[in-house]
Amino acid sequence: MSEPQLSIRSAKARDLARALARRTGQPINKLVEIALERYDIELRQLNKAHPLDAVWELAAEGRRSVPSGTTSAHDDLYDENGLPK
């Protein structure tokens, strides 16, 4: 008995699958299974995530561009008594 067939009519998908098959030595059907399993896991994890997790990820991404040692103290804006300069 033969395996069920999956037909995807996409030149981009075909090219990506062939390139990955050459690089990994895996058959295309196995690569498709792996990709779909990983995508399924990713979606399940996203569904479990708290809505604020996306905000924290954006904050972390923005923080990467801030030079090391930078603070948000703004000491340069205030005098020794804590009043605005």
Side-chain angles (χ1 to χ4, degrees):
M1 185 172 183
S2 66
E3 287 285 318
Q5 296 294 310
L6 173 66
S7 177
I8 301 171
R9 289 173 174 79
S10 166
K12 182 177 180 180
R14 181 200 60 226
D15 294 344
L16 286 169
R18 286 180 179 168
L20 281 170
R22 280 193 302 271
R23 285 180 27 210
T24 65
Q26 293 281 338
I28 290 174
N29 63 317
K30 185 66 177 170
L31 292 171
V32 171
E33 289 174 8
I34 292 168
L36 290 172
E37 287 170 350
R38 287 183 181 175
Y39 188 51
D40 181 51
I41 290 168
E42 180 183 328
L43 288 177
R44 288 173 193 270
Q45 289 173 343
L46 286 175
N47 287 337
K48 289 181 183 178
H50 191 278
L52 283 178
D53 289 344
V55 174
W56 289 115
E57 287 178 28
L58 287 171
E61 184 179 317
R63 184 72 181 143
R64 285 188 212 101
S65 64
V66 177
S68 179
T70 301
T71 69
S72 60
H74 304 295
D75 292 337
D76 56 321
L77 300 176
Y78 303 95
D79 67 15
E80 61 279 353
N81 297 316
L83 298 172
K85 289 184 180 179

